[in-house]
Amino acid sequence: MRPLAALIGEIGDGALLAVPPDYSGVAMAATRALIRRGVRGLRLLAVPQSGLQTDLLIGAGCVAAVESAAVSLGDLGPAPRFTAAVLARRIAMTDSTCPAIHAALQATEKGVPFFPLRGLIGSDVLRFRPDWRVIDNPFAGGDPIVLLPAIAPEVALFHAPFADRAGNVWIGRRRELVSMAHAADKTLVTVEEVVDGNLMDDQTLAAGVLPALYVAGVAQAPKGAWPLGLAGRYPPDRAHLARYAELAKSEAGFARYLAEHADAAQAAE
Amino acid sequence: MRPLAALIGEIGDGALLAVPPDYSGVAMAATRALIRRGVRGLRLLAVPQSGLQTDLLIGAGCVAAVESAAVSLGDLGPAPRFTAAVLARRIAMTDSTCPAIHAALQATEKGVPFFPLRGLIGSDVLRFRPDWRVIDNPFAGGDPIVLLPAIAPEVALFHAPFADRAGNVWIGRRRELVSMAHAADKTLVTVEEVVDGNLMDDQTLAAGVLPALYVAGVAQAPKGAWPLGLAGRYPPDRAHLARYAELAKSEAGFARYLAEHADAAQAAE
Amino acid sequence: MSEPGWSKAELLVAVLARMLDGLGHVAVGAASPIPGAAAFLAQARAARAMRVTVLGSESHNDFTDGGRELFDCAAQGRIDAFFLGGGQIDGQANLNLVGCGDYPDLTVRFPGSYGSAYLYFLIPRVILFREEHSARVLVPKVDFISAPGVSPPEVYRPGGPHALVTSKAVFAFERERGGFRLASVHPGIGVDEVTAQTGFAFERPAQVPTTPAPEAETLALIRGPVGAALAEVYPRFAATLRRHGEAS
Amino acid sequence: MSEPGWSKAELLVAVLARMLDGLGHVAVGAASPIPGAAAFLAQARAARAMRVTVLGSESHNDFTDGGRELFDCAAQGRIDAFFLGGGQIDGQANLNLVGCGDYPDLTVRFPGSYGSAYLYFLIPRVILFREEHSARVLVPKVDFISAPGVSPPEVYRPGGPHALVTSKAVFAFERERGGFRLASVHPGIGVDEVTAQTGFAFERPAQVPTTPAPEAETLALIRGPVGAALAEVYPRFAATLRRHGEAS
């Protein structure tokens, strides 16, 4: 176990940082700590989409680039700081589509330079991705198919219900976190709690474990996904999120939100 | 739930049948039932290797072809009926390597016609696989890489600890069974026991579940992996396996074993 | 005009559900309450078991293989129907979920393409649903193609658009021709109004039928078991349905 | 000649463990008790934590992503060393795990290539271990290449053979040259015997060292904690080690 500040110390300026969607265990306490530290130039990879976390980091000036299938606050509407930054061309936005991000991470997981994927052909998503290729299926002919280059995040960061002291992290059904960790050079995890014993000793728990082998560091952060939810633990704080959605519509409102919730004074986290 | 005989009724002569390795939940009771029924011409796909099950099916004359990374009885020595059948060219043996079988199933799981894989180049495994291709990595150049065509089993058959009445099957850490089921047209499962309630309602259990969505049929078969083991339930019956390894060295011995253990008279299974 | 015994939301739920009857597995996005209700309605009256997967739900989502499973499952041919929307939809059923303007120089930014650039190709029956029926949404040509409505014959495409349902009308998509045909206008909506508010050209029959109103049994299902099933996933929408049920 | 205070198995465990010292993650096959013991020995005396994964074990295997995880993990560069054997091994370190004869017309059939055709390319330090040291096993040219010892420069290959250990000797593999060099002969074994029983040509130093016997601390570890760790995975072999420990 490490203190949160030490954990996020592994995320340097300019890092290619993979993050999960709002429903999958977002390390929000760690995100606020990153903002307080003043991280700059992050290249965010949303796996495969993102919401509050990306909007907050963009608004706080921490982000140089985003690759994602979508950024939104869900039924609370658009992600305001993301939208403003993209329209002003202040961040480099790489539009993707969910399965392409999953597949590109699986390519790194498997140690291959590319993955094939159906769909995509004829879309402008493909047209604006000079890094993607269309080849003719060598097994058929007359069958165009897209090849996606592997994406290798430097860091994957997420929040999970619990871990043991050996660094095994229980992620349950949230297996997008597994591929993300397999593909990332370093995986950093915050958890609600640290449990005694070794999670691998219980076959029922083990089925939902990301093994320590892939985990570079774990920090305890109770309610670490707040104001987002953590499945099975707590729901999203909808009142708070609605207030964020409202405040973040303006730069001044966002600054006020940031001062309240991610200020350096809030060093308790 | 279905009776075992009805379950294996879904496996027709000549089926491309995917089976797991000896340590991963082999449906041995179902295998004996198939032998009793007199199935013929099976094309076995070992995921990625096999032992007793394949040897037994070959010895009983049920098999036309095998694709596998290896067939062996582990530390009890070679698989005698497999070895004899291959040397006599009585079955069509397609030699593969473990990760190639996993990758070819993942290709079907992802609905793509091929998967790239590192390694292989310069091996005779590749040289004798006219169905595999080497291309130049389109993202680099001067970087040869193998493409494997997708393998789509008609049926996947395995044994698991338990299922619920909705058809959700708990497979725990044995996730090779997940890819196998995703890739197969039909997945048939035998289980030690059927439990009340829905496995998906418990997030700890759910993490180890193959959802009913992929399961075409479940039959209860207590000790259904015997004489192989089932992790967490019972170990392999080593005395029995050693006797098999000895008897199966000759056709006569194998016939004796078969009469004792997979005879039509044994209809209790 | 007297109040009908049903709401616009209930009409739309009934219309969408008819397009799902008889299917084996319908998937619905997390923020899609009306399609979600339609899927539960079709499930409630299905003769054989129908599976409904609601993305982002805990209790109506059996996926255990991570975020990729929806997409893999679709590619395996195990999902029969799905819903997509779009900030812009054009007459070739091209969808734009990215933004307006000359990409990447946008004047309006939408959230992004999500899985549309993939699922639109692979799921046999994709139903386009967008309540707003205006020339702003239904455009002659989208500014950005998140997912194309039609593909050349050499492109692997077992799936594609089936219909477009809005607050005013139902359009069937004719894949051979690659265009929409007006199938019905909702009760109280005129064909002229639909034409005026639709930015793309479409075929129409000589007589345009009126979308059938939801039957009593359908309304009972919507206000009963469907609302209950919805409550976990779309609590606010479910409450709306229940309120309407109590008032009527 | 007086009995040494150690068994041949203990010598081999000690030899193999020296090749693992300082590594982060060593993986061992299910049916490899001597390599398994070597991995546990290296782990027991490691200065920084060393991970040992035993395939097919329940308690020494933390993989939770199915059978593919070993291979994916190797491809990710997260496994530093692995052991391979072979029915035939030749002077270029080509491995044959398939059979003897003119494939597919074989006269002898082995089980099959397992993961060798992949792992040999990807794991930096692959140690070849085969107890039988005979011209039948160590051949000039294998009949079937399950996995080649060397690859042309354009082939992606971060891994490959490091050494060959038999019951008689240790050979280092020289990747640049693509051949073996005799590194040491085990106590009591003559260089001539090794030469006679080796079917392939190899380099040798003017003076061939004798393989160092296991030190007392090493033997204590093998007979104590290593044997205990082995017991779950290789019960019969662990019992052998413990019996020897008690007898000595």
Side-chain angles (χ1 to χ4, degrees):
Chain A
M1 288 314 113
R2 299 158 68 175
L4 186 56
L7 189 81
I8 63 151
E10 304 256 0
I11 304 171
D13 285 354
L16 179 56
L17 178 67
V19 295
D22 279 358
Y23 55 82
S24 192
V26 177
M28 286 306 302
T31 301
R32 288 186 291 271
L34 273 170
I35 291 172
R36 282 196 295 273
R37 201 195 76 201
V39 69
R40 286 292 174 269
L42 289 178
R43 293 170 297 138
L44 294 179
L45 175 71
V47 183
Q49 45 162 299
S50 185
L52 178 69
Q53 182 182 31
T54 291
D55 206 55
L56 207 55
L57 285 166
I58 290 172
C62 307
V63 176
V66 174
E67 177 164 358
S68 184
V71 181
S72 138
L73 300 182
D75 64 352
L76 293 169
R81 294 296 94 210
F82 163 78
T83 306
V86 168
L87 290 178
R89 308 286 302 266
R90 277 200 308 271
I91 59 169
M93 177 63 197
T94 301
D95 273 288
S96 189
T97 183
C98 307
I101 292 175
H102 291 302
L105 288 174
Q106 281 184 279
T108 303
E109 181 179 46
K110 279 210 112 50
V112 289
F114 57 84
F115 243 41
L117 195 71
R118 287 301 191 184
L120 301 169
I121 295 170
S123 73
D124 286 342
V125 179
L126 172 62
R127 189 156 71 93
F128 287 100
R129 291 297 300 251
D131 54 331
W132 294 358
R133 298 261 184 293
V134 180
I135 66 160
D136 193 30
N137 170 7
F139 294 90
D143 175 25
I145 186 166
V146 175
L147 299 185
L148 309 163
I151 302 177
E154 292 168 61
V155 182
L157 172 68
F158 62 85
H159 184 71
F162 55 95
D164 64 23
R165 276 169 236 286
N168 297 302
V169 178
W170 192 83
I171 51 97
R173 287 163 73 181
R174 299 265 56 94
R175 294 193 71 83
E176 53 277 357
L177 304 175
V178 173
S179 286
M180 199 195 293
H182 288 181
D185 188 42
K186 267 193 292 206
T187 292
L188 307 176
V189 186
T190 59
V191 293
E192 289 294 312
E193 52 182 331
V194 178
V195 299
D196 291 330
N198 190 307
L199 296 180
M200 299 307 299
D201 291 345
D202 176 329
Q203 290 305 307
T204 307
L205 286 176
V209 166
L210 172 71
L213 164 57
Y214 303 98
V215 179
V218 178
Q220 191 170 2
K223 285 220 91 186
W226 178 88
L228 297 172
L230 184 64
R233 296 282 172 138
Y234 43 87
D237 182 345
R238 289 191 58 89
H240 184 100
L241 292 172
R243 182 149 178 278
Y244 175 81
E246 191 53 41
L247 281 175
K249 281 181 184 162
S250 71
E251 290 206 23
F254 179 83
R256 198 173 126 209
Y257 177 89
L258 210 61
E260 282 174 26
H261 296 288
D263 197 276
Q266 305 249 332
E269 264 179 357
Chain B
M1 290 312 113
R2 299 158 68 175
L4 185 55
L7 188 82
I8 62 151
E10 304 256 359
I11 304 172
D13 286 355
L16 178 56
L17 178 67
V19 295
D22 280 359
Y23 54 81
S24 191
V26 177
M28 286 307 301
T31 301
R32 287 186 292 272
L34 274 170
I35 291 172
R36 283 197 295 275
R37 202 195 75 200
V39 70
R40 286 294 173 268
L42 290 178
R43 294 171 295 138
L44 294 179
L45 175 72
V47 183
Q49 45 162 300
S50 185
L52 178 69
Q53 181 181 32
T54 291
D55 207 54
L56 206 56
L57 285 167
I58 290 172
C62 307
V63 176
V66 173
E67 176 163 0
S68 185
V71 180
S72 139
L73 300 182
D75 64 353
L76 294 168
R81 294 298 93 208
F82 162 77
T83 306
V86 169
L87 290 178
R89 308 286 303 265
R90 277 200 308 271
I91 58 168
M93 178 63 196
T94 302
D95 273 288
S96 189
T97 183
C98 307
I101 292 175
H102 291 302
L105 288 175
Q106 281 184 279
T108 303
E109 181 179 47
K110 278 209 113 51
V112 290
F114 58 84
F115 243 41
L117 196 71
R118 288 300 192 184
L120 301 169
I121 294 170
S123 74
D124 287 342
V125 180
L126 172 62
R127 188 156 70 92
F128 287 100
R129 291 295 301 249
D131 54 331
W132 294 358
R133 298 262 184 294
V134 181
I135 65 161
D136 193 29
N137 170 8
F139 294 90
D143 175 25
I145 186 165
V146 176
L147 300 185
L148 310 163
I151 301 177
E154 292 167 62
V155 182
L157 173 68
F158 62 84
H159 185 70
F162 55 94
D164 64 24
R165 276 168 236 286
N168 297 301
V169 178
W170 192 82
I171 51 97
R173 285 163 74 179
R174 298 265 56 93
R175 294 193 71 83
E176 51 277 359
L177 303 174
V178 173
S179 285
M180 199 194 293
H182 287 181
D185 188 40
K186 267 193 291 208
T187 293
L188 307 176
V189 186
T190 58
V191 294
E192 289 294 312
E193 52 181 331
V194 179
V195 299
D196 291 330
N198 189 307
L199 296 179
M200 300 307 300
D201 291 345
D202 176 329
Q203 289 306 306
T204 307
L205 286 176
V209 165
L210 173 69
L213 164 58
Y214 303 97
V215 179
V218 178
Q220 192 171 2
K223 284 220 91 184
W226 177 88
L228 297 172
L230 185 64
R233 295 283 172 137
Y234 43 88
D237 181 344
R238 288 191 57 90
H240 183 100
L241 292 171
R243 181 147 179 280
Y244 174 82
E246 191 53 40
L247 281 175
K249 281 181 183 161
S250 71
E251 291 205 22
F254 179 82
R256 198 173 127 207
Y257 177 88
L258 209 60
E260 283 174 27
H261 296 289
D263 196 276
Q266 305 248 332
E269 260 178 3
Chain C
M1 197 169 118
S2 74
E3 276 284 313
W6 39 266
S7 68
K8 177 57 71 75
E10 287 170 334
L11 175 76
L12 295 175
V13 168
V15 166
L16 295 175
R18 266 178 229 124
M19 298 177 182
L20 306 176
D21 284 332
L23 299 181
H25 186 189
V26 177
V28 193
S32 309
I34 288 178
F40 287 126
L41 172 58
Q43 184 182 47
R45 68 189 180 199
R48 64 173 186 120
M50 173 188 283
R51 182 177 297 275
V52 174
T53 296
V54 180
L55 308 178
S57 158
E58 289 289 318
S59 55
H60 297 284
N61 181 331
D62 286 352
F63 289 147
T64 59
D65 202 29
R68 67 173 177 245
E69 189 171 2
L70 165 71
F71 306 101
D72 291 356
C73 193
Q76 293 156 27
R78 299 188 206 264
I79 300 179
D80 301 312
F82 192 69
F83 295 88
L84 287 173
Q88 294 181 327
I89 300 171
D90 71 22
Q92 285 75 52
N94 296 310
L95 309 181
N96 175 5
L97 291 87
V98 162
C100 301
D102 185 18
Y103 187 90
D105 280 312
L106 299 175
T107 53
V108 175
R109 172 74 205 195
F110 309 137
S113 299
Y114 292 99
S116 63
Y118 185 77
L119 296 174
Y120 210 26
F121 288 79
L122 292 166
I123 296 181
R125 186 172 293 198
V126 177
I127 299 163
L128 306 178
F129 177 65
R130 176 75 206 235
E131 283 193 80
E132 178 177 339
H133 190 135
S134 71
R136 188 184 78 122
V137 170
L138 307 180
V139 296
K141 192 174 181 320
V142 296
D143 288 0
F144 183 97
I145 301 175
S146 285
V150 293
S151 298
E154 71 272 18
V155 172
Y156 178 81
R157 182 156 198 178
H162 175 74
L164 165 63
V165 176
T166 72
S167 61
K168 295 188 193 299
V170 177
F171 297 88
F173 190 74
E174 300 182 322
R175 288 198 195 171
E176 289 297 299
R177 191 172 61 77
F180 286 108
R181 168 179 290 265
L182 185 60
S184 68
V185 292
H186 297 340
I189 309 287
V191 174
D192 287 355
E193 180 184 347
V194 166
T195 306
Q197 298 292 321
T198 305
F200 57 72
F202 54 88
E203 300 278 308
R204 76 196 69 184
Q207 291 294 320
V208 179
T210 298
T211 308
E215 306 85 345
E217 311 90 77
T218 298
L219 288 171
L221 286 172
I222 292 175
R223 292 165 189 176
V226 170
L230 280 177
E232 182 248 348
V233 197
Y234 313 103
R236 290 191 300 182
F237 180 72
T240 314
L241 281 188
R242 277 200 298 265
R243 270 197 303 280
H244 191 90
E246 284 155 17
S248 68
Chain D
M1 194 170 120
S2 73
E3 274 286 311
W6 39 265
S7 69
K8 176 58 71 76
E10 287 169 336
L11 175 77
L12 295 174
V13 169
V15 166
L16 293 175
R18 266 178 229 124
M19 299 178 181
L20 306 177
D21 284 332
L23 299 181
H25 185 189
V26 176
V28 193
S32 309
I34 288 178
F40 288 125
L41 172 57
Q43 184 183 46
R45 68 190 181 198
R48 65 174 185 120
M50 173 188 284
R51 182 177 298 275
V52 174
T53 296
V54 181
L55 307 178
S57 158
E58 290 288 318
S59 55
H60 296 285
N61 181 332
D62 286 350
F63 289 147
T64 59
D65 202 30
R68 68 173 177 245
E69 189 170 3
L70 166 70
F71 307 101
D72 291 355
C73 193
Q76 292 154 27
R78 299 188 205 266
I79 300 178
D80 301 313
F82 191 70
F83 296 88
L84 287 173
Q88 293 181 326
I89 300 170
D90 73 20
Q92 286 74 51
N94 296 311
L95 309 181
N96 175 5
L97 291 88
V98 161
C100 302
D102 185 17
Y103 187 91
D105 281 312
L106 299 175
T107 54
V108 175
R109 172 74 206 196
F110 309 138
S113 299
Y114 292 98
S116 63
Y118 185 78
L119 296 174
Y120 210 24
F121 289 78
L122 292 167
I123 296 181
R125 185 172 294 199
V126 177
I127 299 163
L128 306 177
F129 176 66
R130 175 76 205 233
E131 282 193 81
E132 178 177 340
H133 190 137
S134 71
R136 188 184 77 124
V137 170
L138 307 180
V139 296
K141 192 174 180 322
V142 295
D143 289 359
F144 183 96
I145 301 175
S146 286
V150 293
S151 297
E154 71 272 19
V155 172
Y156 178 81
R157 184 158 197 177
H162 173 75
L164 165 63
V165 176
T166 73
S167 61
K168 296 188 191 299
V170 176
F171 296 88
F173 191 74
E174 301 181 321
R175 289 197 195 171
E176 289 297 299
R177 192 173 59 77
F180 286 108
R181 166 179 290 267
L182 185 60
S184 68
V185 292
H186 298 338
I189 309 286
V191 174
D192 287 354
E193 181 184 345
V194 166
T195 306
Q197 298 293 320
T198 304
F200 57 72
F202 53 89
E203 301 279 309
R204 76 196 68 185
Q207 292 294 322
V208 178
T210 297
T211 308
E215 308 84 347
E217 311 91 77
T218 298
L219 289 171
L221 286 172
I222 292 175
R223 292 165 189 175
V226 170
L230 280 176
E232 182 247 348
V233 198
Y234 313 103
R236 291 190 300 182
F237 180 74
T240 314
L241 281 188
R242 277 199 298 264
R243 270 196 304 280
H244 191 91
E246 283 155 18
S248 69

